[in-house]
Amino acid sequence: MMKIQHFALLGITFLTLMSFSFLQYTEEDEPNYYSSDYIITYGQAGPFTLNSAFPGKEGEYMGYQLVQRKQIRYAEDGADTLTTFHAQKDGITHIIIHPKYNNDALIGGLEVVSALYETKHGVGVGSSLYDFYAIYPDAKGYYTFVSDMYWVEYPVMEGIQFLIDAKACKTEPDAFSDLTVIEKSNLNLKSRITGIRIF
């Protein structure tokens, strides 16, 4: 009888601790909570994280083949050339790794171009804007002529932009504004996300 009571008490204690741990979960825990190789979250895409060491050379790295590329970087004061690395599997680019703007030794940006990677709500490259707004109803669309880039973003998911192309916008945005807000009503919701930028 004592053994049964002892096991029952241990079981109740375990369930109480488990319940407490779930109650303590917050959005800040997300990077550690998700261990999948294909998760997109704050400051992270798959195994790559912002502000970690920027790859120094081509070759095998964390299960990927890194291939060096030269890319033009646009800014308000003009354009320059920078080195990026394409993280590939089987010759297909999954993530483009950018150096930090003011410190080339650190990762400053990640661009996901593979549909394998998703947010915890299942949004990724190839998701329609209809599905995106169904999950993130408070999202907003933007355009900047500085880099000629269109995207939608969800205010809570700071530092993540879901890229779209110009055809997703029903009318042309204001070409004289640094940043134009694109209302949901002005977006073709059948359009799909073309990439995901994490910065």
Side-chain angles (χ1 to χ4, degrees):
M1 186 69 174
M2 288 293 291
K3 284 186 176 180
I4 294 173
Q5 289 176 339
H6 180 70
F7 283 121
L9 183 59
L10 284 174
I12 291 169
T13 303
F14 176 77
L15 290 173
T16 302
L17 289 172
M18 288 298 291
S19 299
F20 182 76
S21 69
F22 281 119
L23 288 172
Q24 294 300 307
Y25 172 73
T26 65
E27 292 288 348
E28 293 175 359
D29 297 322
E30 192 173 271
N32 295 324
Y33 185 80
Y34 292 94
S35 60
S36 169
D37 290 338
Y38 298 105
I39 197 70
I40 294 170
T41 186
Y42 307 105
Q44 180 178 354
F48 302 101
T49 58
L50 299 183
N51 294 312
S52 60
F54 187 73
K57 60 182 181 179
E58 293 185 319
E60 292 289 332
Y61 185 78
M62 301 179 77
Y64 294 79
Q65 182 70 31
L66 295 184
V67 179
Q68 185 174 306
R69 293 277 192 268
K70 298 291 184 182
Q71 185 169 329
I72 297 174
R73 173 169 52 188
Y74 296 95
E76 291 182 7
D77 57 348
D80 62 354
T81 302
L82 79 159
T83 299
T84 62
F85 280 93
H86 285 221
Q88 299 183 345
K89 290 188 176 183
D90 299 321
I92 298 171
T93 298
H94 287 215
I95 300 171
I96 302 171
I97 305 168
H98 298 262
K100 201 165 186 175
Y101 184 75
N102 58 356
N103 186 348
D104 287 349
L106 299 177
I107 293 177
L110 300 166
E111 186 179 346
V112 178
V113 295
S114 167
L116 292 174
Y117 302 78
E118 296 181 337
T119 69
K120 68 174 184 175
H121 294 114
V123 173
V125 174
S127 295
S128 70
L129 290 182
Y130 179 85
D131 291 337
F132 179 84
Y133 275 98
I135 296 169
Y136 306 119
D138 296 327
K140 291 188 176 180
Y142 296 94
Y143 169 76
T144 176
F145 80 89
V146 176
S147 56
D148 193 27
M149 190 171 74
Y150 295 78
W151 74 92
V152 289
E153 65 181 52
Y154 181 53
V156 176
M157 300 177 72
E158 187 177 351
I160 304 179
Q161 296 173 337
F162 298 83
L163 307 179
I164 53 178
D165 60 32
K167 291 181 286 188
C169 194
K170 294 177 182 176
T171 59
E172 288 192 18
D174 183 358
F176 299 102
S177 174
D178 285 355
L179 188 67
T180 302
V181 176
I182 304 172
E183 299 297 335
K184 178 182 174 182
S185 59
N186 198 25
L187 289 169
N188 178 358
L189 297 185
K190 292 181 180 179
S191 295
R192 298 191 176 273
I193 293 167
T194 59
I196 299 171
R197 181 172 173 258
I198 301 163
F199 60 96

